[in-house]
Amino acid sequence: MYHPPYPMVVLTNVCNYFNQSINSENNKKSLLFLAFMILTYVLFYALSPDKTVRAFNYVSKILLEVLPILAMVYVFMLGFSFINEKKLKKTIEKAPMLLKYTLMSLLGTLSHGPIYAWYPFLNELHGKGLSKGTMGTFLYARGIKLTLLPMLSRSLTLSSQSYSQLQH
């Protein structure tokens, strides 16, 4: 039986997902929402052009600041889908303790989806000798979400700017 290479399987799944979403009801609702927002901005522009232009420029500035970080998040999420689970388990099992904690922190940060989907993976690793501390590190690191990194970056930038203004 022929098994295509893992990256090809992931690429096929991604293409199938986008083909399904093009015809879905949610896509139609998203387009309606986009049209509604464009009409709202046109209405606001007709009522108060100067405020609308300032608001649009402000939003554009924030998007340009966040866009590179968002691209990095998508690259991480795509890269995470190419990780071979069997090799990862073997690496974690044989790694020294410091590397285990580091790997579990990184994997917890990069993981997404419902947490209960990770319980069988953690249970299997625990059965092979993974400590409860490293499992706790994984679960704790799940609190750092990749999708929140742009917001976190923006808030840290603002707080560092306000801190530097306090210094002067």
Side-chain angles (χ1 to χ4, degrees):
M1 179 177 215
Y2 172 72
H3 293 286
Y6 186 71
M8 187 57 95
V9 172
V10 171
L11 185 62
T12 304
N13 289 342
V14 168
C15 291
N16 288 339
Y17 171 77
F18 283 117
N19 286 338
Q20 290 172 359
S21 67
I22 288 172
N23 300 324
S24 71
E25 184 67 29
N26 287 337
N27 193 32
K28 292 175 187 173
K29 289 179 182 178
S30 297
L31 290 175
L32 282 174
F33 180 73
L34 178 63
F36 174 74
M37 291 308 298
I38 290 172
L39 286 174
T40 303
Y41 267 98
V42 168
L43 177 68
F44 284 149
Y45 184 77
L47 295 175
S48 179
D50 55 331
K51 287 183 181 180
T52 307
V53 168
R54 279 190 291 158
F56 186 75
N57 288 339
Y58 179 74
V59 169
S60 300
K61 180 182 165 190
I62 290 176
L63 282 176
L64 287 176
E65 288 178 13
V66 170
L67 201 58
I69 299 164
L70 199 55
M72 183 183 70
V73 167
Y74 286 122
V75 166
F76 276 133
M77 290 173 73
L78 180 66
F80 193 65
S81 67
F82 289 112
I83 292 176
N84 187 341
E85 191 176 318
K86 291 178 183 177
K87 287 182 182 178
L88 181 64
K89 285 180 188 177
K90 288 179 184 177
T91 303
I92 292 173
E93 289 169 9
K94 296 177 182 177
M97 191 57 71
L98 179 64
L99 186 60
K100 283 183 184 179
Y101 276 98
T102 305
L103 272 173
M104 294 306 273
S105 296
L106 183 67
L107 290 173
T109 303
L110 295 176
S111 68
H112 55 280
I115 195 163
Y116 55 83
W118 290 95
Y119 290 154
F121 175 73
L122 291 173
N123 188 32
E124 186 176 333
L125 288 175
H126 181 63
K128 294 183 179 181
L130 188 69
S131 71
K132 291 183 180 180
T134 51
M135 291 188 318
T137 301
F138 175 84
L139 295 173
Y140 187 77
R142 280 185 50 83
I144 304 169
K145 289 289 133 218
L146 285 176
T147 52
L148 297 178
L149 282 179
M151 184 179 69
L152 180 64
S153 168
R154 176 77 177 150
S155 67
L156 290 176
T157 305
L158 289 176
S159 64
S160 67
Q161 287 174 352
S162 60
Y163 179 74
S164 64
Q165 288 173 356
L166 290 174
Q167 296 290 328
H168 294 105

